[in-house]
Structures are given as structure tokens and as C-alpha cells.
Amino acid sequence: MIDNGLLVQMLLGALLGLSVYLPLAAGQLSLATPAFYAVGGTLAALLSTRWSGLGATADGGFPVPSLLLELVLGGLLAGLLALLVGRLVLRLQGIYLAIATIALVEIVRVAILNLPFTGGAVGIFAIPQPFHDASGYLLPALALLALAGWICQRLEGMPLGRAMAAIRGDELAARCLGIDTTRVKLTAFVLSAVLAGSTGALAAHFLNTWNARQGSFDASITTLAFVVLGGSRTWLGPVMGGLLLTALPELLRPVGNVRLVLFGLVILLGPVLAPQGLITPALLERLGGWNPRGSAEGRQEAQP
Amino acid sequence: MTTAPPPSTVISPSDLRRRGALRLAALLAAGIGALAWLGRNTDPAAKPLAAGPISLGAAIAFTGNANLYGQDQRMGLAVAERWAQQSGTPARPVRLQLEDGASDEPSAIAAFNLLIRQGVIALIGPTLSQQAFAADPIAQRQGVPVVAPSNTAKGIPEIGHFISRVSAQSSVIAPLSLDEALRRDPAIKRVAVFYAQDDAYSTAETAIFQKALAARGLPPVTVQRTQLADNDFQTPITSALQLKPQLVVLSVQAVAGGNLIRQLRELGYRGQIVVGNGLNTPNIYPICQRWCDGILIAQAYSPELNTPINRRFQQLFRQAHGDRPPPQITAQAFTAYQVLFEAIQRLQRKGGLSGVTLGQARANLMAELLSGTYDTPLGPIGFSPAGEVLQDRFYVAEVRMDPGGRDGRFALVRERRLQESTP
């Protein structure tokens, strides 16, 4: 049984999965998502607890427009950081890029741990709440996911998305075709950071507290697992992966102590049984062509 | 020659994919909507309190890096259940529901939500203070009493009316062991401090140690920062030992602490070692073995306290876990269960649990919990109106290892009564 609190966590997982997916759609294995998530979350935690201009009340309430402002600001700050860092690290490829982005995650974590105003290891707590209970977070999380999904879907038909696909296919060939590969890769990286930053801002309020542990190397691997299990070829893959893998440890509670063993087994068997991930382009094609009245009829109907 | 169908009669694969994606997205959206509808009402607080056994929830760490403490807590809760069963027919039977709160914030939130939804009257947990800052506000908003067995950070009871703890803040206990070290060697002038800088508990505790050192005119000659996951401390130890410390003060978690002590001794440090609450578990013995011998620690619990309830606790513990003294964290978990159990019995006799909704029963229980005093294995304790534990007996212990160096015990060296926090 899934309560709304868990559902919000699942949606946050799906958002982080999409954030890992975006650079991957341009062929870049970036593990920097938790760094941007941490930046967004820290900004939201600081703003809502230290800046009375946002309207936090004494009894822990918080106006919803201020939350939306934080989502925007969190995304912007993370995007700005990605713009600065991306120019440097996107010269690297493959495993080297992955290592550089892991370093970024570590740098951000250690910085948050040691900055004088982020509360050290305890972090920032008593973050004011815009909603009375977890159900309130469903709407902003769903809206953010719908927006991100819409952008990803639109990308497939846009020149930017096609350029990303071309770079994923063969970066050298794409450059020979006249695609400004640096720019395209950087755009994908920044989009991913904006998404992670906004997600972090939302998560900070949802979690009530924020500390340096939220954006760790472990989170890099978890979010990458969302994409690997869900499938990296379509945006629905990481969404599905994020939803399922976040829910699974909770759904497995009835089995008791071995639940994490089973969870590990799923992560292990997923790529073995479905090497392309759960959601593949072929699956989407079958689903698109599927018609309860027979596929031939469906094709006829679709004629202009 | 075959005639290819005109392009307009076939949908291109990319269009098919798009249509498939939209269908799947719509399906997902519908699924999420359905789940949101089904899961909308999570708290049975408005329902009348069911007759029969009352359920108590515990969310503690069985997995993740805090599980070393979680295992100790689980033993404490199991012993407490047996104690409750064997101490006569209760006015109201109590059933304990255990959930894994893991070692991260989202899991603690999920475990709290799950237990609250299942209709528990009160919660025990979570294991780490950082988790408490995430999960306790949820219990507070829904009006569910929480007794924290091991959260020692500043600001936990301040989360709200429904949040209390039986684990004394480190600021109260930590300095006592320093006094013992200074009593043994008044000539100490040079103190080295180590702490894990990425750990909430260690950074809070080292601040207290350093403040206490400064108050005794002993500013540390060096403060070495380590990381929670470190196992190799050669570099910080070498740089600290160059300054010839006469006392080393550690605030780290159990596994790292065991390794740090061992490496300190192996690298030639012979002076006294004072450690914080993170090493307050026998689980360190196998790690630092004979090198653990002689370290000083201040404790909120002593196995050597000679009271009926502590003897009973020890007896039940030894029945289940062999001939060894129970650790502090186990005693604190036992105490968390005990105070809730006793408050429930008192409330039942007063009639505060009949003809009320679950929500009212929770509020009544919180008021009853805070108003009582309890004779526990930790000694007599009570609560301040804010939910902070009031405990007046603390202990300084010294680790004494067996000749083989495989096992040891915390030997009581001094009992201290702090007058300002008398219940």
C-alpha cells in the first residue's frame, strides 16, 4: 500500500532519474545530479529558514508562492553552476566525465559540510511547511514531472533533441555534420542541473531538514540505477525506473529483514533480463501501434 | 518490381513511438492519480480507539551505517517486551510493531508514515538525530507521541510538544569523563582532539568537549578532522603525535573510533584516551581489541547500578544474549519502551483510553508521559514540559579488556549526580 508520502518520494525519484537521463540522451554519462540536487535543496533550506521576506510563519507555515519562487531560484542557481562547471568537464568523455562529475558531487558535499552558514553535519532543520501533509507536495511534484516530461518529449522533434541523439550516436560524425557539439552537450547538462536543482528545493521542504548527506556519491549511483533499470533510450524509462526503485524497498517491507537483499536482486536481475531497460523504443512502438480493434485497422484510421 | 505503399498510409516509427510514449505517460498519470486517491487518508486518528492490545511503533535502523546502534536497540526493545509480559497482567496489553527506519532521512519518514497509518499510539525512534529532524515533524503534525531512545543532538525536543527523548544530551554527559582523566593526571596540559566532521553527532559532541576543555584552561593543541567512513588515520595521528599530547579526546562513531584507538596505540601513543558516546557500545571490542584497554567514557547507563529494575533488566538481557552486560543504547531503548508502557497503564487506569478516538488517546498519552516519573535501568528519570529527559545519575566507565583482548567490559569508575537536572 502506497501512501502519499511515499508517492511524493517516488515522484522525486522520477525527477532525479530524468535529470540523469538528459545528459545521457546526448551521450554524456554525468553523475553530477546529486550535486545540483544538493545545491537546490540547500538554497531552499537557507532561504526558507533565514530570510523572513519569504513569509515563513512562526508556527512553521510557508506560503506556496514562495515555494514556487524557491523552485525557480534553486533551478537557476544549479543551472548557473552547471554552466560554469560544464564548460570544463564536458571536454571529458565517458568514464572520465563520470569521474569528474563524481568529484563535483564530493566538492559540493564537502563545501556544504564546511560552509559557516549551512549548519555543518547536522544541517538545517525546522524547514517551514507550505502544506499541512504530504499530499500537498503531490501537485508541485507532479507538475514539475509533467513539465520535464513534456520538454523531453518535445526535444525528440526539436533540432536540439535531434542533435543530442546524433551526438549520442557518434560525436565525431555529429561534429562533421556541423553540429556545435559543445553547445548541445552543455545545454543538456544545464537542463539536467535545473531539473535537479528544482527537485532539491522541493525535497528540502518535503524532508523537513537538509544536510550534506542528501547529495552524496551513493545518490549518484542510486539515480544512475533508475536510468539503467528503466531504460535510457526514452524519457519514460528513467521516470519508470525512479518510481519503481524508490517504491520497491518500502513495498518489500512485509518480507522483513531480507527486503534489501531482494531489492539488490531486482537491481541485479533487471539489466540481465532487460538489457535495454524496462521501457524501450520498441516497446513504445508496439504500444503506439496497438489497437484493440486490430492493428491493421488502426493503421488505416491513422491515414490523413 | 514491388510497389512500395505510399508514405501516407504507414505511420513512421517515430510517430508510433510518440503515440506510444503519450499513451504510456497517460497510463502512468492515471496510475499515479489512482495511488494518490487511494493513499489520501493516511492517519486513522479520527477513528475510535480499538479495544484490545494497543500498538506501539518503533522505527529503528536495521540497515545502513547506523545499524550497529539499531541492533543494540532491537535487543533492548525485545527485552522490554519480555519484561512487560512477565510483570503481571497489564491493565492494557501493548503490542510492539518494529519497522526498519534505515539510516537515511527518506526511510525514516516512510517508516514513521507507515506506522502512523497502521494506527500506533506512539512511536519509538528514529536512531539518528538527523533522521529525527526529518521524521519527527511528521509525527508532531499528526499528533503522535515520539520517544527518542538515542537522539542526542541539540534541538530534538524543541521540534514540538509530541517529541521527547530518554537519551540525555551529550552536553550533560561528555565533560564528566574529562574530569576523571584530569583527576588521574592533574599535570595534563596538552590535549589533542579528533572528530568526524561529516557526522552530526560527532561535530555536536566535539563542540561540547572543546568548550569543556577551554573552561578547564586546556585549549586543545590540535584538532584533527576525520571522515565518517575513514578507516585509516595514520596522517591525522602522526600530525597530532608530533605535538606530544598527554590526553586524546575522540568524538567519532563506533567502527571508526575502534580503528582510531588501535592506530593511536600502534603508532606509539601511551597517554589517556577519553571517548564520546559514539563508542558507547561493546561492538568496539572486536575492532580495537587489547588496545581498547583503559579508555575513559562517560555514560548515561551503568550495568553496575544496583536497583531492582536494573537487576531485572540485566537478568532478562543475559537470558537472551549470554553472559555479558547490556550496552547503554540497549538500556535506553528498554527505557523508551518502559516509559511508554507505564504511561499507557496509568492512563488506562485513569480511564483516559476509553471512549476516545485514537487522536485523543495519543494526546492524552503524551500528557501522561510527561507528567510521570519512572524508575528505569538508567536510574530515576522524568521529563521536562518540553520533553527533555531529566536524569541525575551519570557514570564514568573505563574499558577493561580480558587478557586475550577479545572481549571486555565497561567498568564503573565513578558515579556522578548532577543536581540541576533532578527529576
Side-chain angles (χ1 to χ4, degrees):
Chain A
M1 173 62 185
I2 292 176
D3 66 69
N4 283 350
L6 181 56
L7 197 55
V8 174
Q9 288 186 16
M10 289 163 61
L11 292 172
L12 295 175
L15 282 163
L16 292 179
L18 271 185
S19 166
V20 179
Y21 161 79
L22 277 165
L24 215 53
Q28 308 304 307
L29 177 58
S30 157
L31 297 177
T33 289
F36 301 122
Y37 175 69
V39 166
T42 308
L43 182 78
L46 281 175
L47 286 180
S48 59
T49 51
R50 310 279 156 87
W51 188 31
S52 55
L54 281 178
T57 56
D59 59 347
F62 196 66
V64 175
S66 301
L67 174 73
L68 299 181
L69 177 69
E70 280 179 1
L71 292 192
V72 173
L73 289 178
L76 280 181
L77 184 67
L80 199 68
L81 181 68
L83 201 62
L84 294 174
V85 174
R87 284 195 182 281
L88 290 174
V89 300
L90 287 174
R91 295 169 193 218
L92 303 169
Q93 283 178 336
I95 193 77
Y96 302 101
L97 176 65
I99 290 172
T101 49
I102 290 172
L104 177 68
V105 172
E106 266 309 280
I107 291 169
V108 169
R109 187 183 71 87
V110 173
I112 293 175
L113 200 56
N114 288 291
L115 284 174
F117 48 84
T118 48
V122 179
I124 300 160
F125 53 91
I127 295 176
Q129 294 299 307
F131 309 108
H132 180 68
D133 62 1
S135 308
Y137 288 96
L138 277 177
L139 209 58
L142 258 180
L144 198 58
L145 185 61
L147 180 71
W150 178 74
I151 290 173
C152 289
Q153 182 63 43
R154 284 282 298 140
L155 270 179
E156 282 177 21
M158 280 165 60
L160 175 64
R162 305 223 164 179
M164 283 162 63
I167 294 173
R168 172 156 73 175
D170 187 333
E171 183 164 352
L172 189 61
R175 203 166 346 152
C176 292
L177 287 171
I179 294 172
D180 185 350
T181 53
T182 312
R183 197 183 164 82
V184 171
K185 287 193 291 184
L186 192 60
T187 313
F189 191 60
V190 170
L191 275 178
S192 145
V194 170
L195 187 57
S198 297
T199 308
L202 192 61
H205 285 276
F206 173 71
L207 290 180
N208 299 303
T209 176
W210 196 262
N211 53 48
R213 304 199 305 165
Q214 302 311 318
S216 64
F217 172 63
D218 294 4
S220 292
I221 300 305
T222 314
T223 45
L224 184 64
F226 295 166
V227 184
V228 171
L229 188 88
S232 62
R233 293 277 156 175
T234 72
W235 67 271
L236 279 159
V239 170
M240 193 62 109
L243 291 173
L244 286 182
L245 284 189
T246 316
L248 203 57
E250 295 303 321
L251 295 181
L252 287 175
R253 275 188 188 274
V255 302
N257 287 340
V258 293
R259 70 184 179 114
L260 291 188
V261 176
L262 282 184
F263 180 61
L265 216 57
V266 169
I267 293 189
L268 188 73
L269 288 181
V272 171
L273 298 178
Q276 304 267 309
L278 291 175
I279 313 289
T280 58
L283 179 78
L284 289 184
E285 275 173 40
R286 274 211 305 281
L287 199 64
W290 180 73
N291 191 303
R293 284 164 293 172
S295 67
E297 227 178 298
R299 290 188 177 212
Q300 291 300 316
E301 253 182 11
Q303 282 180 29
Chain B
M1 193 180 146
T2 53
T3 44
S8 58
T9 58
V10 177
I11 309 172
S12 73
S14 72
D15 280 345
L16 272 182
R17 272 204 300 276
R18 201 183 57 192
R19 207 159 77 182
L22 290 180
R23 285 179 175 178
L24 188 58
L27 203 68
L28 266 183
I32 290 169
L35 284 177
W37 178 254
L38 287 174
R40 71 197 180 285
N41 205 354
T42 57
D43 187 8
K47 294 188 185 140
L49 184 67
I54 244 173
S55 55
L56 204 59
I60 55 181
F62 300 152
T63 55
N65 57 13
N67 89 83
L68 219 53
Y69 306 112
Q71 300 302 338
D72 281 356
Q73 291 176 325
R74 180 184 229 169
M75 291 193 285
L77 292 174
V79 170
E81 272 192 289
R82 218 164 314 123
W83 164 82
Q85 279 163 14
Q86 295 180 5
S87 46
T89 313
R92 186 80 183 240
V94 171
R95 196 161 41 98
L96 184 69
Q97 269 171 277
L98 271 178
E99 284 295 337
D100 179 13
S103 307
D104 58 336
E105 288 79 356
S107 300
I109 288 180
F112 264 38
N113 275 332
L114 178 68
L115 288 166
I116 291 173
R117 200 177 65 227
Q118 289 174 346
V120 298
I121 193 165
L123 289 159
I124 296 173
T127 300
L128 298 175
S129 295
Q130 284 154 316
Q131 294 180 297
F133 286 126
D136 284 356
I138 291 169
Q140 167 65 24
R141 283 198 286 277
Q142 307 207 33
V144 184
V146 176
V147 178
S150 60
N151 302 154
T152 51
K154 199 176 154 188
I156 299 282
E158 286 80 358
I159 292 171
H161 169 68
F162 284 94
I163 315 300
S164 63
R165 62 173 159 198
V166 293
S167 45
Q169 254 197 88
S170 22
S171 62
V172 184
I173 327 176
L176 303 179
S177 49
L178 284 181
D179 290 338
E180 178 64 23
L182 292 175
R183 201 187 56 79
R184 291 179 174 201
D185 183 3
I188 287 174
K189 282 285 166 283
R190 308 174 65 79
V191 184
V193 172
F194 287 74
Y195 75 98
Q197 67 154 155
D198 56 344
D199 177 40
Y201 143 75
S202 305
T203 47
E205 191 185 66
T206 197
I208 292 151
F209 269 133
Q210 291 185 39
K211 207 171 129 195
L213 282 170
R216 287 157 181 77
L218 296 167
V221 288
T222 175
V223 176
Q224 296 290 332
R225 297 168 168 199
T226 65
Q227 303 286 324
L228 203 51
D230 279 356
N231 281 315
D232 177 12
F233 300 97
Q234 308 272 341
T235 318
I237 291 175
T238 315
S239 46
L241 290 190
Q242 279 167 357
L243 297 164
K244 307 221 177 314
Q246 297 157 302
L247 173 66
V248 168
V249 178
L250 306 181
S251 290
V252 287
Q253 299 278 10
V255 176
N259 282 312
L260 183 46
I261 292 169
R262 181 179 182 147
Q263 289 169 29
L264 263 170
R265 293 297 191 208
E266 283 174 342
L267 288 172
Y269 176 69
R270 292 285 167 264
Q272 297 193 73
I273 299 178
V274 163
V275 300
N277 202 27
L279 288 119
N280 218 335
T281 159
N283 298 340
I284 60 169
Y285 303 149
I287 304 170
C288 55
Q289 300 183 5
R290 65 185 165 87
W291 290 274
C292 278
D293 203 61
I295 63 175
L296 287 174
I297 186 164
Q299 300 184 308
Y301 170 70
S302 170
E304 297 177 22
L305 178 69
N306 195 7
T307 60
I309 180 75
N310 192 37
R311 283 199 301 272
R312 183 86 188 106
F313 167 60
Q314 300 246 357
Q315 184 194 0
L316 288 168
F317 181 85
R318 281 168 209 264
Q319 273 172 17
H321 304 288
D323 188 25
R324 61 191 178 104
Q328 172 185 310
I329 290 168
T330 303
Q332 285 173 330
F334 178 96
T335 302
Y337 183 98
Q338 186 196 347
V339 295
L340 281 169
F341 181 80
E342 289 183 357
I344 289 171
Q345 304 313 323
R346 284 202 309 270
L347 193 59
Q348 173 72 27
R349 283 192 285 270
K350 285 180 187 170
L353 290 176
S354 28
V356 291
T357 64
L358 179 57
Q360 285 162 339
R362 286 168 173 169
N364 292 347
L365 177 61
M366 193 65 213
E368 186 60 44
L369 179 73
L370 292 183
S371 67
T373 54
Y374 306 86
D375 186 22
T376 72
L378 306 179
I381 66 167
F383 293 97
S384 78
E388 182 70 87
V389 64
L390 299 176
Q391 181 179 357
D392 69 340
R393 277 189 214 171
F394 297 99
Y395 313 90
V396 180
E398 180 181 351
V399 174
R400 300 231 174 94
M401 297 302 292
D402 298 340
R406 288 280 159 196
D407 210 352
R409 65 191 187 96
F410 290 110
L412 180 67
V413 287
R414 196 162 299 274
E415 183 179 328
R416 291 280 297 262
R417 279 169 190 269
L418 296 185
Q419 287 312 314
E420 67 266 36
S421 55
T422 308

